[in-house]
Amino acid sequence: MHRRTYALAAAVAACSATTALALAAAPHALAAPRPSPATSDFNADGYPDLAVGVPDATVNGKARAGYVHVLWGGAEGVGRHGGIRISQATAEVPGTPEQGDRFGAAVALEDLSGDGAAELIVGAPGEDVNGRGTDAGVVVVVGGGKGTSRPGSNALVGPSAGAAYGWSVAAADVTGDGGRDIVVGGRDKVVLRAVVDDGEDLVITTVLAAPMGGRAPVLATGDFDTDGTDDLALAYHTVDAPSTRSHVRLWTWDPAERRMANFWNADNGAASALATGDFDGDGLDDLALGECREIADENIDDPCGPESYAEGGGIHVLYGHAGSFGARTQTLNQDTVGVYGVAEDGDRFGASLAVLDWNRDGRDDLVAGAPGEAIGSRARAGAATLLLGHGSGIVDPYGEATSVPYHQDSPRVPGVAETGDAFGTAVATGDYDRDGVPDTAVGAPGENGGSGGVWVLPRTSTTGPYALTPSNLGLPSPTTALSYGRHLSGH
């Protein structure tokens, strides 16, 4: 069975807060090993939903306490059927809003319990924890259900000051027992929370502890070793802190050792985003590295393909192989024939990625954000590009790509491209209106002086697109720098 999980990461700085949190009395209930098909339907109405993390929002007078805005999918499209705001002021959510908690710095919608309704997984890396210290961080899981939320629990709490648990989150069945496990990224650490042995045994194990340059580790999952069970893809890098380190690593579950085991590495290259899909239609999971660039010029390998492709941000695709993952690769950027635009320093092409099968040909396609793209003379206005999969992958046998560009100066797309909009900072896909064709959501956190917004492209086209902004959604303090659209859930 082909699995697909998108990268869910947020490189944000955590600030101070003061609150006491305790682990839920029954943490095993969060990830019972039952069949758990991937779904983002939080309100159990049959339509996928979209979660928008707003960690810079003020809640109950507490600056940057943060909240998550879950937008309902429906026949008229996501965001046109209402939604729900969830924060630590929500009755079902443990904790209390405090300044700098940054609740919503990472968000995911995943069906952990297997009941057909998604749970909301939220990172709050700025959470202070009594007895553990400032910015220990916490990851909260809130149950979904008919029309509203159900009681939530703390899935994982940072062990010490500065741990910043919740910088990034992901969920997948990495242990192969039918349940979905939670992966948490913190400062210089990635941790797995898994329930094994028929739901009776909770395992919390460190996947990796290493300097990560003060950034959120980038996470994605997929079956990269072709054993039928999800694996973990992890990217991180440092620059002279204290020495340059940059890696993309793959990890698989070792049932005997009850921990994750590293089985594949690429060194010297950094990636801002990861996404898993079957881009060549061979039934094997491939891994796309977004905004891939060489960090350590040690001439050990070519972690991001030819160095010339790194200008402006390149996308490097590692293809699945029954014998050796990544034995075949492809690289492209905005100078590749068929790709919109021109590769220029600062474009950040591939800084966000999302996967979909737009033309329903059995091969996955890729949406790549370029939040630094200049539109005309307007720097950092931003763009997003749909890249179609071919029989040979994202690039055809002639080295060319097939793409469709989107930005705020595209015909029929609402708004005007303006300096600093950062359109494409985050991208997400899902069939939110359930018409059989995937839709795409694009975040532009710099819109309206940093208030932000999310642009919805029905059927991933410029036919009927619309903008969801704090103002037209009726959110509090719509004129403040909410950066709405910086953090989106996948699927």
Side-chain angles (χ1 to χ4, degrees), residues 53-70:
V54 195
D56 291 330
T58 297
V59 178
N60 288 359
K62 306 297 183 181
R64 302 175 82 197
Y67 63 78
V68 178
H69 194 206
V70 182

Side-chain angles (χ1 to χ4, degrees), residues 218 232-237 246-251 262 264-274 287-289 292 303-304 316 318 325:
V218 184
L232 173 66
L234 165 62
Y236 65 95
H237 73 278
S246 47
H247 303 278
V248 176
R249 293 185 170 186
L250 303 182
W251 304 77
N262 176 224
W264 187 94
N265 296 308
D267 297 331
N268 303 328
S272 296
L274 301 173
L287 182 66
L289 282 57
C292 195
C304 298
H316 188 57
L318 303 160
F325 178 80

Side-chain angles (χ1 to χ4, degrees), residues 419-445:
T419 299
D421 281 347
F423 185 88
T425 294
V427 290
T429 58
D431 187 6
Y432 302 116
D433 55 7
R434 230 175 55 188
D435 67 352
V437 183
D439 314 305
T440 293
V442 182

Side-chain angles (χ1 to χ4, degrees), residues 123-476:
E127 185 77 39
D128 293 355
V129 180
N130 284 355
R132 304 194 184 196
T134 302
D135 297 349
V138 66
V139 173
V140 179
V141 174
V142 182
K146 284 289 184 181
T148 186
S149 58
R150 298 200 304 265
S153 304
N154 296 328
L156 210 57
V157 178
S160 59
Y165 276 26
W167 254 359
S168 50
V169 296
D173 179 16
V174 298
T175 61
D177 61 4
R180 296 181 80 76
D181 311 300
I182 298 174
V183 184
V184 173
R187 181 176 283 109
D188 299 333
K189 199 171 189 179
V190 175
V191 178
L192 171 69
R193 180 196 188 281
V195 177
V196 294
D197 295 340
D198 296 326
E200 296 301 320
D201 193 6
L202 175 66
V203 174
I204 297 176
T205 181
T206 298
V207 177
L208 178 68
M212 298 180 185
R215 304 174 187 86
V218 184
L219 310 174
T221 61
D223 182 10
F224 306 117
D225 60 4
T226 67
D227 67 350
T229 301
D230 286 312
D231 308 308
L232 173 66
L234 165 62
Y236 65 95
H237 73 278
T238 70
V239 178
D240 298 325
S243 59
T244 300
R245 302 181 186 184
S246 47
H247 303 278
V248 176
R249 293 185 170 186
L250 303 182
W251 304 77
T252 190
W253 176 253
D254 184 332
E257 297 291 332
R258 295 165 66 83
R259 62 176 177 82
M260 298 295 283
N262 176 224
F263 71 93
W264 187 94
N265 296 308
D267 297 331
N268 303 328
S272 296
L274 301 173
T276 305
D278 181 9
F279 304 116
D280 55 4
D282 65 355
L284 301 177
D285 280 346
D286 313 314
L287 182 66
L289 282 57
E291 197 187 5
C292 195
R293 65 272 190 203
E294 187 170 330
I295 294 295
D297 187 14
E298 299 175 4
N299 298 316
I300 295 175
D301 54 19
D302 295 311
C304 298
E307 192 171 350
S308 60
Y309 284 91
E311 184 172 8
I315 298 174
H316 188 57
V317 183
L318 303 160
Y319 286 92
H321 189 280
S324 177
F325 178 80
R328 186 172 76 88
T329 66
Q330 289 182 333
T331 309
L332 72 160
N333 69 355
Q334 288 184 290
D335 282 345
T336 299
V337 174
V339 178
Y340 164 80
V342 176
E344 300 167 306
D345 285 340
D347 284 347
R348 302 200 63 209
F349 181 68
S352 60
L353 298 173
V355 176
L356 72 167
D357 183 4
W358 177 69
N359 52 4
R360 287 92 65 210
D361 64 354
R363 294 187 291 266
D364 282 329
D365 311 306
L366 190 65
V367 177
E373 177 79 11
I375 304 299
S377 62
R378 288 144 297 177
R380 304 179 310 283
T385 302
L386 170 65
L387 300 160
L388 297 184
H390 302 85
S392 59
I394 290 295
V395 178
D396 72 15
Y398 304 100
E400 301 181 5
T402 305
S403 72
V404 181
Y406 308 98
H407 52 77
Q408 288 190 73
D409 278 0
S410 297
R412 297 185 296 277
V413 174
V416 176
E418 299 169 306
T419 299
D421 281 347
F423 185 88
T425 294
V427 290
T429 58
D431 187 6
Y432 302 116
D433 55 7
R434 230 175 55 188
D435 67 352
V437 183
D439 314 305
T440 293
V442 182
E447 177 76 13
N448 293 332
S451 180
V454 174
W455 269 247
V456 181
L457 305 171
R459 302 171 74 91
T460 312
S461 73
T462 56
T463 301
Y466 53 96
L468 302 170
T469 66
S471 180
N472 66 31
L473 290 168
L475 297 175

Side-chain angles (χ1 to χ4, degrees), residues 49-104:
D49 303 316
L50 175 68
V52 183
V54 195
D56 291 330
T58 297
V59 178
N60 288 359
K62 306 297 183 181
R64 302 175 82 197
Y67 63 78
V68 178
H69 194 206
V70 182
L71 296 165
W72 306 142
E76 301 301 316
V78 69
R80 289 181 162 171
H81 298 266
I84 185 173
R85 254 187 312 128
I86 297 174
S87 72
Q88 289 181 303
T90 303
E92 294 86 357
V93 178
T96 303
E98 298 290 346
Q99 182 174 333
D101 283 350
R102 295 189 61 80
F103 184 90

